[in-house]
Amino acid sequence: MLPGARAYASPGHGGHGTGSTTDTPIPHTPPLAKFVDPLPIPLAAVPDHEAYPGADYYEYTMRQGRWSFHRDLGPATVWGYWAKDPRHPGKPIGMGYLGPTITVQKDHPTVVKYRNKLPTTHLFQEVIDAIRDGKPVVAPMPPPPYHAHKPFPDDVNVWNVVHHHGGFTAPQSDGMPHQSFSPDGIHADGYTTLEPHRVKRNEAIYGYTNHERAALLWYHDHGMGMTSVNCYAGLAGLYIIRDREEAKLDLPRGEYEIPLILQDRTFLADGSLAYTMMQQEGEDTPVVNGKAFPFLAVEQRRYRLRVLNASNERFWRLRFDVYPTDVMPQPELPFWLIGTDSGQRAPLRMLSFLIGPAERYDLIIDFTGLPVNTTVTMRNFNAPVHFPGVPGEGPEITEVMQFKVTKQLSGRDGTAPPDRLGLKVNPPVEPTRHTRRRQWVIYQHVLFRTMTLNAIPFMEPSEDFVKAGSTEIWEYINPNHDAHPMHVHLVNFQVLNRQPIDAAGYQAQYDKWVFGGRKKEDFPDVADYFTGPPIPPEPDEAGSNKDVVKAYSEMVTRIIIPDIHPPTRDIASIPDSGAQLPATYIHHCHIFEHEDDDLMRPWTIVKGGHHG
């Protein structure tokens, strides 16, 4: 390791070297043949239109099952979501790993009953035991003057809650960690449910407004203290919003619209999942839609790729390499970015993109001019974990999946070239001199240990109160050597700019403030540590509406959040399903291991302003 290369960095659950909890050799996936398994497409959940008039209703059950990640690997024990099929109640929809896709129309609400039928012993019980035993590599250890609190009770090894990521959702249906519930009916102190007379102890009902623009959202586990291992076991799925504006566009549809859920996993020789992130950063094998190194047979036409980074820790820098190399003027196949986390944007032609955990990229890729039997490999490059990382610290992954131009053209491609789709430019949100600014310092008080926001543990009460209807600028101050993908629940935002700082100098003064009793006169003004002017957003961020932002290392990253307010109307005539003020939400790093380790804080919307 380079001297000083990670002065303030934090591995996933403590990580390498002094962070490791064991001297046990790190497992490695056995050699696997690449591009021999076809890419699975997650199944579609089927709504019940009768249970709640004016809404789509689903019943989702979390279960343990079996899933094979590769033809040369035996089946692994995994966790997944299964959706009840109202047409065939005895045949639930699911793969065992991940969950079925929910597709909805804008402003047509959704009601979901979630049922927890997982085992009461965790699939990765050794991690749960290490957290419960207070091992510093995994258990939150807050800075002074705070004291550690156990994230889950002694009699709970498994609890879960489903977060509707990217949703405009009332807090009681948001799926925040303190709303967790266990298979045997133990509730966290913030557990909530709609229609309490319709649920058992191991269930919760949530309502979603679907007020968002057409976009790829997703759902995933957010269990208090164990999000990382719950999601690693398989608890995630897609949630697609459609609207009339998107329907008018000549986009690839049906079998030509391909969801790609990117993850990295490590496997033992028998095919079972190995969780190695108490020993190292990241896992060693790419998995897309539940398959390692899959391939997709494609036609000579345009495709729409809906890419989600559902990895625990890994950033991916991706391009599309063409073989044979002489079929194009350059080795990479260009593509068009037409949307990000929170919907569509003006088309941007690109050769590669960097996607952080929980980000989504909506791409158009054109195989039209490629000869039959051409292969296009999705390749990962220059993105060690944790990003920007140090090469060799975590397993490097280069090839991810392959597109094989082998299918006969089934008919004329009636889609429009991306630059002729008529996608509108998202107007920038302009700050004024009166726009409220709020700072969040990503702070680590002990090397390779817990990180917090503003040196305050997650479980401490909210101290940030936002007036309903207001617009705010949030500044993420990151003196670490790692980037952090920061996710704000409820809202969409735009990236305003970034500004470099003297990270070591700022960290030293912040340490003085924390360990010196948090005296007002010692609090550092970040403006005193700027080393250059503000930097505009990156091209893929500019003009994009987002719910996750990459807070780069040794930078202040600024986002602007317009018209902050929660949904207050009842959903599908369910009493008390809308938000009431004050309404508390959270924001956090979307490296799952970091949020489990306390890089997460509540914030509260209070009355004031207008609800534009």
Side-chain angles (χ1 to χ4, degrees), residues 45-346:
V46 177
D48 179 342
H49 300 296
E50 305 299 326
Y52 288 89
D56 292 341
Y57 175 68
Y58 300 88
E59 289 189 10
Y60 265 56
T61 301
M62 297 170 254
R63 291 184 182 275
Q64 183 165 285
R66 303 282 278 172
W67 174 255
S68 178
F69 287 90
H70 190 274
R71 75 164 191 201
D72 298 331
L73 293 173
T77 300
V78 294
W79 291 357
Y81 297 102
W82 294 84
K84 181 179 178 180
D85 187 344
R87 305 164 304 183
H88 308 286
K91 296 181 179 180
I93 300 168
M95 301 191 307
Y97 182 75
L98 301 175
T101 299
I102 294 178
T103 301
V104 304
Q105 292 296 319
K106 175 179 167 62
D107 292 326
H108 185 76
T110 300
V111 179
V112 187
K113 176 186 280 189
Y114 295 108
R115 182 179 298 111
N116 194 343
K117 286 204 168 183
L118 291 167
T120 55
T121 299
H122 207 284
L123 188 58
F124 304 105
Q125 186 63 38
E126 68 278 5
V127 180
I128 302 301
D129 292 341
I131 295 171
R132 179 172 288 117
D133 292 343
K135 293 188 177 180
V137 71
V138 286
M141 297 178 61
Y146 299 103
H147 300 285
H149 297 279
K150 291 183 178 180
F152 39 80
D154 288 338
D155 56 351
V156 170
N157 295 313
V158 175
W159 64 6
N160 310 86
V161 67
V162 181
H163 171 50
H164 181 220
H165 183 119
F168 183 63
T169 305
Q172 60 267 41
S173 294
D174 190 54
M176 291 176 276
H178 57 275
Q179 296 169 326
S180 300
F181 55 100
S182 74
D184 49 352
I186 299 172
H187 294 170
D189 59 4
Y191 168 85
T192 58
T193 183
L194 307 182
E195 305 271 77
H197 60 285
R198 294 191 179 187
V199 300
K200 299 177 181 178
R201 293 281 301 177
N202 65 329
E203 297 175 339
I205 293 176
Y206 289 169
Y208 304 136
T209 66
N210 299 326
H211 188 57
E212 304 78 27
R213 298 168 54 201
L216 177 65
L217 310 184
W218 62 306
Y219 60 92
H220 61 80
D221 189 87
H222 220 317
M224 183 66 205
M226 57 181 78
T227 297
S228 56
V229 284
N230 290 348
C231 291
Y232 192 83
L235 294 179
L238 300 177
Y239 195 108
I240 299 175
I241 309 278
R242 306 287 192 192
D243 65 18
R244 293 178 181 177
E245 287 72 21
E246 182 190 58
K248 296 174 184 177
L249 302 174
D250 294 325
L251 289 165
R253 305 183 193 282
E255 63 181 302
Y256 309 113
E257 181 181 8
I258 308 297
L260 300 176
I261 304 173
L262 304 183
Q263 299 173 310
D264 54 332
R265 297 291 185 263
T266 298
F267 305 100
L268 301 178
D270 64 358
S272 59
L273 284 167
Y275 179 86
T276 71
M277 282 179 280
M278 287 200 296
Q279 300 166 282
Q280 67 177 4
E281 299 174 355
E283 304 291 352
D284 64 13
T285 301
V287 170
V288 187
N289 296 355
K291 286 292 179 181
F293 300 109
F295 75 90
L296 178 68
V298 297
E299 301 177 18
Q300 294 166 303
R301 64 190 303 148
R302 281 183 283 270
Y303 281 72
R304 185 181 184 185
L305 306 181
R306 312 297 298 270
V307 185
L308 160 67
N309 182 357
S311 301
N312 280 40
E313 300 184 4
R314 185 179 292 274
F315 287 67
W316 304 83
R317 190 188 298 277
L318 300 170
R319 67 176 190 242
F320 299 92
D321 287 358
V322 178
Y323 184 84
T325 56
D326 59 357
V327 302
M328 291 183 57
Q330 73 276 342
E332 303 95 3
L333 181 64
F335 57 91
W336 291 83
L337 175 68
I338 64 165
T340 54
D341 307 341
S342 305
Q344 292 159 0
R345 51 154 291 146

Side-chain angles (χ1 to χ4, degrees), residues 520-538:
K520 183 177 180 180
E521 61 269 22
D522 290 336
F523 187 81
D525 183 348
V526 71
D528 294 336
Y529 298 87
F530 292 150
T531 58
I535 301 167
E538 295 178 355

Side-chain angles (χ1 to χ4, degrees), residues 388-446:
V390 176
E393 280 196 0
E396 293 190 25
I397 293 174
T398 53
E399 295 172 310
V400 180
M401 68 169 291
Q402 201 166 76
F403 302 87
K404 299 182 179 182
V405 187
T406 57
K407 293 179 70 175
Q408 186 175 357
L409 193 64
S410 61
R412 185 183 69 88
D413 185 352
T415 64
D419 56 343
R420 300 179 190 173
L421 281 170
L423 289 169
K424 299 176 182 178
V425 175
N426 294 315
V429 181
E430 299 289 353
T432 71
R433 61 190 184 94
H434 300 295
T435 303
R436 171 75 157 82
R437 291 176 180 259
R438 198 175 298 273
Q439 290 186 345
W440 306 96
V441 180
I442 300 170
Y443 177 65
Q444 186 178 39
H445 63 290
V446 178

